Amino acid sequence: MAGRRFTLSLGCPDALGIVARLSGFLAGAGAWIVEAAYHADPDTGWFFTRQTVTAESIRMDLDEFRARFAEIAATFGTEAEWSLHDSTERKRIVLLVSKEGHCLHDLLGRAATGELPAEVCAVIGNHRDLDPVARAHGVPFQHVPFPSDPAGKAEAFEAMRELVDAHSPDAVVLARFMQVLPPELCEHWKHRAINIHHSFLPSFVGARPYHQAHERGVKIIGATCHYVTAELDAGPIIEQDVVRIDHSYTIADMVRQGRDIEKIVLSRGLRWHLEGRVQVHGRKTVIFS
Amino acid sequence: MAGRRFTLSLGCPDALGIVARLSGFLAGAGAWIVEAAYHADPDTGWFFTRQTVTAESIRMDLDEFRARFAEIAATFGTEAEWSLHDSTERKRIVLLVSKEGHCLHDLLGRAATGELPAEVCAVIGNHRDLDPVARAHGVPFQHVPFPSDPAGKAEAFEAMRELVDAHSPDAVVLARFMQVLPPELCEHWKHRAINIHHSFLPSFVGARPYHQAHERGVKIIGATCHYVTAELDAGPIIEQDVVRIDHSYTIADMVRQGRDIEKIVLSRGLRWHLEGRVQVHGRKTVIFS
Amino acid sequence: MAGRRFTLSLGCPDALGIVARLSGFLAGAGAWIVEAAYHADPDTGWFFTRQTVTAESIRMDLDEFRARFAEIAATFGTEAEWSLHDSTERKRIVLLVSKEGHCLHDLLGRAATGELPAEVCAVIGNHRDLDPVARAHGVPFQHVPFPSDPAGKAEAFEAMRELVDAHSPDAVVLARFMQVLPPELCEHWKHRAINIHHSFLPSFVGARPYHQAHERGVKIIGATCHYVTAELDAGPIIEQDVVRIDHSYTIADMVRQGRDIEKIVLSRGLRWHLEGRVQVHGRKTVIFS
Amino acid sequence: MAGRRFTLSLGCPDALGIVARLSGFLAGAGAWIVEAAYHADPDTGWFFTRQTVTAESIRMDLDEFRARFAEIAATFGTEAEWSLHDSTERKRIVLLVSKEGHCLHDLLGRAATGELPAEVCAVIGNHRDLDPVARAHGVPFQHVPFPSDPAGKAEAFEAMRELVDAHSPDAVVLARFMQVLPPELCEHWKHRAINIHHSFLPSFVGARPYHQAHERGVKIIGATCHYVTAELDAGPIIEQDVVRIDHSYTIADMVRQGRDIEKIVLSRGLRWHLEGRVQVHGRKTVIFS
């Protein structure tokens, strides 16, 4: 509905005058800012910003704009990380699934209604159960069986990696994919592999979190969307949400209630990632939502 | 996962010993209670209960059990309303839609994963836009165009009524169906027609509630699931939920954020209705969730 | 505002006909039930109920009613636990505090406005900082300094125990009291000592939970009200609540935001405890709120 | 805990280069920015910003800094509104109360623990009930009785106005003050008089909102903190929050549950106001929280 927009993201060591240099550059380029957010972290001395400008307001083409922004960014130190996103470039995602279909249904529904700003290139499952769901939405389903022996599993991950990488996706979404990624894949898809964990982390890491929550007698359950890292369920958290339960909830009730939270938290975190609203620094995230 | 269960619901004028008579009857029948809830409303002097028992524990068949319960219920006054639901009888629903697909995607996804305890018999739309969504889920779609002239509209409602009634549904769900039901249809589907309104009622009754909310500058928006009555958006409320927004939300942002709440509130209210957890008294509901 | 009421609580092994026997007894006594709640736990095979009746409706005095209820309760097994509470008996509480005053201010404010159904008999602090707060509310403050050596600490706990027990309190509230109770005191005040922990347990057990939460980068923080047991922060949870934060929150911001949740969660859990709405079974609670 | 800080707020018609000019000025002054927030409203074409800098980083005194900022602000149009706040200047507030004490207890408790960044200069009541509460906190209480006749009431408001204005307060807080301010007082204390309304506005405007909510059968209740304007309960909303209820809640239960929300919403809105985080434009607010 809005016209073409460019979004600049920058993270660098905090210093005097960063905003002045950036905004001076943008004003010089005639850029009309429609969204701007800043954060300076006093603990790490790091500065973060995200700014969206209308493409039509800029007196140069994207390549020149990018080159000029790169020059500015270079003055903020060698550690500075930046990106420039064009709203007319469509993002691409691949979904990894197992047998549980609620997150798949949800993401495909959001993609179909245009809410999720991305093309779902493929759904890859270690079981065939969700093949019909993908096909009903016109998305190719690829089956990669996971044997239980380590060698076979390693081969399966290698096969999956090739299938995924063929799409050059902006996000690899573990939509209730029940396998633990090997460390080299975590590194390979660093800050692109996004998982939904069905607990309010760091509570109930690992398997069967609803069973753990039931056992502990908590009064609220939750879900956590995070980047995948080699340490299980310990990657940078993008989004969390919770829902109230009570003593009458069986594990089945918790599973059902939790699904709604999982779907919302995953879709919200994924959308922010795709819109360049997430900046990772160390094991934490800055979210310009 | 659970075995066969019978659920008794009763609403009647409050009196001494109702629970004793009911529970005496159940104990006499050998009924093992797995869920029980009671509510006495001091304002209206009305008593409500819902009790679920395992079928296998009862020393009589369903017909006899129903007949015996009817005898007990009759002693609670002529106004007493009761029902007896068998968990092996599958409920039936019909969905009315227009162009917005998020609630339809959501309900069909929930039906497909078995979460919604009902068969979706048909989707009826006043536009053809959502035909492919229904068909992808293997549900018949029926198109009833709504002309803008009163006579044509009345005919369309009559046609829709016939299509709906052919399925004898337990619920007629207005899943973002944008037409106002005529009073006689509200009466005909009384306590069966369920609407999702995209505001936190009684705020922002009527058309374009997100626009109204944006205009007023509220900091939280919501959605309301309610039974349809002749007075617009004033029927008994089944469920509501809200989500926080801030000054940066455009109407489009509110629409997107609101969708998640609409889906959850509608599916929750509908499930409660189908599970016999909702009792209506006057313009209010008792929810044994 | 309401008249005199008796509240019966019962926990026992689940069996056929418990409700029938209980409600038969109540109907026979002419008891008018104004609140009733039941819960059967399929995992532990335990049955819980709480029922409130109007005193004026009962055709016997409290002692006889208690004796008759005891007879019924005895038929539910030797493990059965029951209590009978008279709404005209005022509950008594003692508050243990340290230097942080927000929970003390809150509880004394609630007691002053009549919301908390209890008399605050004493405030006991290991520091003198909150003496003026207690005195301003007309509540005696007692100072028990806690030396850092084990022997001195043990003596201090012994002194505190005597001061507390002199009031025969229905609840001993650790209102941000920063000392860990020794196991024998946990046992002595079992199911009466109530703590507020400033995290969403089981996340961030132990010291400085807000620092832990800040380090982990969570997007929501919480507070937990629980019974004190020998295992630190692992007692039965009475109530929890949460509040959203974001990357811009310093630890000081989290502390301030968390205080509001701590106050609400503690006061809610304490009120439920005082109204006999909490039943403990194993390490979990049933809350008839 | 932090050092001395200056906070600049600006609202003006949006234009190209505002941020560049502002940040250029700040960089030139050597100002180290610790907080910065921007908002451009596409509907009204208005631009808002709030920036906090450390005082020690600035190479000029406050008066010169203010003068220089005023020069910049003047270039943003005659409608531009700006302010410059020094964190070492203590804010002043006056509380208006009636008989209900929970908000008064809460605000005085927050002031006592240092959470509320303001001095409570006086508590003014139209009844004497809360005199002891104010005095216990060492705050003067002034009684202004309100007769029921219009002339007497007008005199009472005039007397109250003089008492309030004698303190030159930054905020006049209607802490459950049950009188409707006359239009001229609304105008006189424009954007300084802050009210807490015990409903989720715009639902349940006016008297007895909990009764209205009970009557309507809503499933969630709320509270709203807003600036007072001549139109009842229609002023710019600063903050809202909600809490879930169910069919079992009596009006008394709703009143009790609602109090917690009222206290939090009022104290949060008031703190934001005092910290210069609220900018009013038309009938809406921008909150840089």
Side-chain angles (χ1 to χ4, degrees):
Chain A
M1 86 215 86
R4 187 183 185 189
R5 292 176 171 194
F6 301 144
T7 296
L8 296 82
S9 292
L10 171 71
C12 64
D14 202 0
L16 196 68
I18 297 178
V19 179
R21 263 184 286 171
L22 263 184
S23 54
F25 157 65
L26 289 175
W32 183 270
I33 301 171
V34 288
E35 266 191 77
Y38 302 81
H39 175 59
D41 184 336
D43 299 321
T44 60
W46 212 257
F47 174 84
F48 306 84
T49 186
R50 176 182 185 272
Q51 308 203 27
T52 298
V53 302
T54 60
E56 66 190 10
S57 66
I58 296 178
R59 299 188 211 95
M60 56 187 94
D61 66 18
L62 177 58
D63 286 340
E64 187 184 344
F65 188 60
R66 188 188 307 271
R68 297 273 299 276
F69 178 46
E71 280 171 34
I72 303 286
T75 69
F76 298 134
T78 52
E79 293 171 295
E81 295 189 353
W82 62 275
S83 67
L84 176 50
H85 171 58
D86 175 357
S87 68
T88 62
E89 284 169 28
R90 194 153 166 80
K91 298 280 183 178
R92 306 161 59 80
I93 61 177
V94 172
L95 309 182
L96 309 186
V97 303
S98 185
K99 291 177 169 180
E100 286 249 37
H102 59 282
C103 283
L104 180 62
H105 273 287
D106 183 71
L107 293 177
L108 292 175
R110 288 178 199 266
T113 56
E115 178 190 318
L116 200 67
E119 177 191 354
V120 183
C121 303
V123 174
I124 301 175
N126 62 335
H127 294 279
R128 290 194 186 279
D129 304 52
L130 300 177
D131 187 340
V133 180
R135 290 191 194 281
H137 281 84
V139 175
F141 180 90
Q142 293 166 315
H143 179 223
V144 178
F146 270 64
S148 54
D149 64 298
K153 206 170 234 181
E155 268 180 55
F157 272 120
E158 188 50 37
M160 207 175 69
R161 171 186 181 145
E162 281 178 27
L163 289 174
V164 169
D165 287 358
H167 298 290
S168 308
D170 296 285
V172 183
V173 184
L174 286 70
R176 295 301 305 271
F177 179 65
M178 306 305 285
Q179 302 288 327
V180 177
L181 293 195
E184 59 275 14
L185 264 189
C186 296
E187 184 58 33
H188 178 63
W189 290 330
K190 189 177 175 181
H191 297 176
R192 282 194 295 153
I194 293 175
N195 185 46
I196 179 71
H197 184 73
H198 39 310
S199 86
F200 183 69
L201 289 174
S203 288
F204 313 131
V205 164
R208 297 160 67 88
Y210 291 130
H211 288 74
Q212 296 182 53
H214 190 260
E215 174 78 11
R216 180 61 186 92
V218 292
K219 301 301 185 187
I220 290 174
I221 56 172
T224 304
C225 177
H226 64 94
Y227 288 110
V228 179
T229 56
E231 187 185 346
L232 186 64
D233 298 331
I237 293 171
I238 305 173
E239 172 64 338
Q240 304 187 287
D241 214 335
V242 296
V243 66
R244 189 166 278 274
I245 60 169
D246 65 38
H247 59 263
S248 72
Y249 277 66
T250 62
I251 290 173
D253 292 331
M254 291 166 63
V255 166
R256 190 196 58 233
Q257 192 87 332
R259 275 191 212 120
D260 280 346
I261 297 301
E262 293 167 36
K263 290 188 286 191
I264 286 184
V265 167
L266 174 57
S267 66
R268 216 185 268 158
L270 175 59
R271 184 169 57 80
W272 290 342
H273 170 85
L274 294 169
E275 295 179 349
R277 298 182 180 280
V278 185
Q279 293 188 37
V280 185
H281 192 66
R283 67 185 305 208
K284 295 169 68 171
T285 62
V286 169
I287 310 287
F288 290 129
S289 63
Chain B
M1 83 217 87
R4 188 183 186 190
R5 295 178 169 190
F6 300 145
T7 296
L8 297 80
S9 293
L10 171 71
C12 63
D14 202 1
L16 196 66
I18 297 179
V19 179
R21 261 184 287 171
L22 262 184
S23 55
F25 157 65
L26 289 175
W32 182 270
I33 301 170
V34 289
E35 268 190 77
Y38 301 81
H39 174 60
D41 185 336
D43 299 322
T44 59
W46 213 256
F47 173 85
F48 307 83
T49 186
R50 178 184 184 270
Q51 308 202 28
T52 300
V53 303
T54 62
E56 65 189 10
S57 67
I58 296 178
R59 301 189 210 95
M60 56 187 96
D61 65 18
L62 177 58
D63 286 341
E64 188 184 345
F65 187 61
R66 189 189 305 270
R68 297 273 299 276
F69 178 46
E71 281 171 32
I72 303 286
T75 69
F76 299 134
T78 52
E79 293 172 295
E81 296 189 353
W82 63 273
S83 68
L84 177 50
H85 170 58
D86 175 357
S87 68
T88 62
E89 282 169 29
R90 196 154 167 79
K91 298 280 185 178
R92 306 161 59 80
I93 61 178
V94 171
L95 309 182
L96 309 187
V97 303
S98 185
K99 291 178 169 180
E100 285 248 37
H102 59 281
C103 284
L104 180 63
H105 273 286
D106 184 71
L107 292 177
L108 292 175
R110 288 177 199 266
T113 57
E115 179 190 315
L116 199 68
E119 178 191 353
V120 182
C121 302
V123 175
I124 301 175
N126 61 338
H127 294 278
R128 291 195 186 278
D129 304 53
L130 299 176
D131 187 340
V133 180
R135 291 192 192 280
H137 281 83
V139 174
F141 180 92
Q142 292 166 315
H143 180 222
V144 178
F146 272 64
S148 53
D149 64 298
K153 207 170 235 182
E155 269 179 56
F157 273 119
E158 188 51 36
M160 206 175 67
R161 171 187 181 144
E162 281 178 29
L163 289 174
V164 168
D165 286 357
H167 298 288
S168 308
D170 297 284
V172 183
V173 184
L174 287 70
R176 295 299 306 272
F177 179 66
M178 306 306 285
Q179 301 289 328
V180 177
L181 293 195
E184 59 276 14
L185 264 188
C186 297
E187 184 58 31
H188 177 62
W189 291 328
K190 189 178 177 183
H191 297 176
R192 281 193 297 151
I194 293 175
N195 185 46
I196 180 73
H197 184 74
H198 40 313
S199 87
F200 183 69
L201 289 174
S203 287
F204 311 131
V205 164
R208 297 160 68 89
Y210 291 129
H211 288 74
Q212 295 182 52
H214 190 261
E215 175 77 12
R216 180 63 185 92
V218 292
K219 302 301 185 186
I220 290 174
I221 55 173
T224 304
C225 176
H226 64 94
Y227 288 111
V228 179
T229 57
E231 187 185 346
L232 186 64
D233 299 330
I237 293 172
I238 306 173
E239 172 64 340
Q240 303 186 286
D241 214 336
V242 296
V243 66
R244 190 166 277 276
I245 60 169
D246 65 38
H247 59 262
S248 73
Y249 277 66
T250 61
I251 290 173
D253 291 332
M254 292 167 63
V255 166
R256 191 197 57 234
Q257 192 87 332
R259 277 193 209 118
D260 279 347
I261 297 301
E262 293 166 35
K263 291 188 285 189
I264 286 183
V265 166
L266 174 57
S267 66
R268 217 186 266 156
L270 175 58
R271 185 169 57 78
W272 291 341
H273 170 84
L274 294 170
E275 294 179 351
R277 298 182 179 280
V278 185
Q279 293 187 35
V280 185
H281 192 66
R283 66 185 304 208
K284 294 168 70 170
T285 62
V286 169
I287 310 287
F288 290 129
S289 62
Chain C
M1 85 216 86
R4 188 184 186 189
R5 293 177 171 193
F6 300 145
T7 295
L8 296 80
S9 293
L10 171 72
C12 64
D14 202 0
L16 197 67
I18 298 179
V19 179
R21 262 185 286 171
L22 264 182
S23 53
F25 157 65
L26 290 174
W32 183 270
I33 301 171
V34 288
E35 265 190 79
Y38 301 82
H39 175 59
D41 185 336
D43 299 321
T44 60
W46 212 256
F47 174 85
F48 306 83
T49 187
R50 175 182 187 273
Q51 308 202 29
T52 299
V53 302
T54 61
E56 65 191 9
S57 66
I58 295 179
R59 301 190 209 93
M60 57 188 95
D61 67 17
L62 177 58
D63 286 340
E64 187 184 345
F65 188 60
R66 189 190 304 272
R68 296 273 300 276
F69 178 46
E71 281 171 34
I72 303 285
T75 68
F76 298 135
T78 52
E79 294 172 295
E81 295 189 352
W82 62 274
S83 67
L84 178 49
H85 170 60
D86 175 358
S87 69
T88 61
E89 284 169 28
R90 195 154 166 79
K91 299 281 184 177
R92 305 161 59 80
I93 61 177
V94 172
L95 309 181
L96 309 187
V97 302
S98 184
K99 291 177 168 181
E100 285 249 37
H102 58 283
C103 283
L104 180 63
H105 273 286
D106 183 70
L107 292 177
L108 292 174
R110 289 177 199 266
T113 56
E115 179 191 315
L116 199 67
E119 177 192 353
V120 183
C121 303
V123 175
I124 302 177
N126 62 337
H127 293 279
R128 291 193 187 279
D129 304 52
L130 300 177
D131 187 341
V133 180
R135 290 190 193 282
H137 281 85
V139 174
F141 180 91
Q142 292 165 315
H143 180 223
V144 178
F146 270 64
S148 53
D149 64 299
K153 206 170 236 183
E155 270 180 53
F157 272 119
E158 188 50 37
M160 206 176 67
R161 172 187 180 143
E162 281 179 27
L163 290 173
V164 169
D165 287 355
H167 299 289
S168 310
D170 297 283
V172 183
V173 184
L174 286 72
R176 294 301 305 272
F177 178 66
M178 306 306 284
Q179 301 289 327
V180 177
L181 293 196
E184 60 274 15
L185 263 187
C186 296
E187 185 57 33
H188 178 63
W189 291 330
K190 190 178 176 180
H191 298 176
R192 283 193 295 150
I194 292 175
N195 186 45
I196 179 72
H197 183 74
H198 40 313
S199 86
F200 184 70
L201 290 175
S203 287
F204 312 130
V205 163
R208 296 161 69 87
Y210 290 129
H211 287 73
Q212 295 182 54
H214 190 261
E215 175 77 12
R216 180 63 185 92
V218 293
K219 301 301 184 187
I220 290 174
I221 56 173
T224 304
C225 175
H226 64 95
Y227 288 111
V228 179
T229 56
E231 187 185 346
L232 185 65
D233 297 331
I237 293 171
I238 304 173
E239 172 64 336
Q240 303 186 286
D241 215 336
V242 296
V243 67
R244 190 167 275 276
I245 61 169
D246 65 38
H247 59 262
S248 73
Y249 278 66
T250 61
I251 290 172
D253 291 331
M254 292 166 63
V255 166
R256 189 198 58 232
Q257 191 87 333
R259 274 190 210 120
D260 279 346
I261 297 300
E262 294 167 34
K263 290 187 288 191
I264 286 182
V265 167
L266 174 57
S267 66
R268 216 185 269 158
L270 175 59
R271 183 169 58 78
W272 290 341
H273 170 86
L274 294 169
E275 294 178 354
R277 298 182 180 279
V278 186
Q279 294 188 36
V280 185
H281 192 66
R283 66 184 306 206
K284 295 168 70 171
T285 61
V286 169
I287 309 288
F288 289 130
S289 62
Chain D
M1 83 215 91
R4 186 183 186 188
R5 293 178 171 191
F6 300 146
T7 295
L8 297 81
S9 293
L10 171 71
C12 65
D14 202 0
L16 195 68
I18 297 179
V19 179
R21 262 185 287 171
L22 262 183
S23 54
F25 158 64
L26 289 174
W32 183 269
I33 301 170
V34 289
E35 265 190 79
Y38 301 82
H39 175 59
D41 185 335
D43 299 322
T44 59
W46 213 255
F47 174 85
F48 306 84
T49 186
R50 175 183 187 271
Q51 308 202 30
T52 299
V53 302
T54 61
E56 65 190 9
S57 66
I58 295 178
R59 298 188 213 98
M60 55 188 94
D61 65 18
L62 177 57
D63 286 341
E64 187 183 346
F65 188 60
R66 189 187 306 270
R68 297 273 298 276
F69 178 46
E71 281 172 34
I72 303 286
T75 69
F76 299 133
T78 52
E79 294 171 295
E81 295 189 353
W82 62 274
S83 68
L84 176 49
H85 170 57
D86 174 357
S87 68
T88 61
E89 283 169 27
R90 196 156 166 77
K91 298 280 184 178
R92 305 161 60 81
I93 61 178
V94 171
L95 309 182
L96 308 187
V97 302
S98 184
K99 291 177 169 182
E100 285 249 39
H102 58 282
C103 284
L104 180 63
H105 273 286
D106 183 71
L107 292 177
L108 292 175
R110 288 176 200 266
T113 57
E115 179 191 315
L116 200 67
E119 177 192 354
V120 182
C121 303
V123 174
I124 302 175
N126 61 337
H127 294 278
R128 291 193 187 278
D129 304 53
L130 300 177
D131 187 340
V133 179
R135 291 192 192 279
H137 281 84
V139 174
F141 180 91
Q142 293 166 315
H143 180 223
V144 178
F146 271 65
S148 53
D149 63 299
K153 206 169 237 184
E155 268 180 55
F157 272 120
E158 189 49 39
M160 204 175 67
R161 172 187 180 143
E162 280 178 29
L163 289 173
V164 168
D165 287 356
H167 299 289
S168 309
D170 297 283
V172 183
V173 184
L174 286 71
R176 297 299 306 272
F177 179 66
M178 307 305 284
Q179 302 288 327
V180 177
L181 294 195
E184 60 275 14
L185 262 188
C186 297
E187 184 58 32
H188 177 63
W189 291 329
K190 189 179 177 182
H191 297 177
R192 282 193 298 151
I194 293 175
N195 185 44
I196 179 72
H197 184 73
H198 39 314
S199 87
F200 183 70
L201 289 174
S203 288
F204 312 131
V205 164
R208 297 162 67 89
Y210 291 129
H211 288 73
Q212 295 183 52
H214 190 262
E215 175 76 14
R216 181 61 186 93
V218 293
K219 301 300 184 185
I220 290 174
I221 55 173
T224 303
C225 175
H226 63 95
Y227 288 110
V228 179
T229 57
E231 186 185 348
L232 185 64
D233 298 331
I237 293 173
I238 306 173
E239 172 64 337
Q240 303 187 287
D241 214 337
V242 296
V243 66
R244 190 167 275 275
I245 60 170
D246 65 38
H247 59 262
S248 72
Y249 277 66
T250 61
I251 290 173
D253 292 330
M254 292 166 62
V255 167
R256 190 198 56 234
Q257 192 86 334
R259 275 190 212 121
D260 279 346
I261 297 300
E262 293 167 36
K263 290 187 287 189
I264 286 184
V265 166
L266 174 57
S267 66
R268 216 186 268 158
L270 175 58
R271 185 169 57 78
W272 290 342
H273 171 85
L274 294 169
E275 294 178 352
R277 297 181 181 281
V278 185
Q279 293 188 35
V280 185
H281 192 65
R283 66 186 303 209
K284 295 169 69 171
T285 62
V286 170
I287 310 286
F288 290 129
S289 63

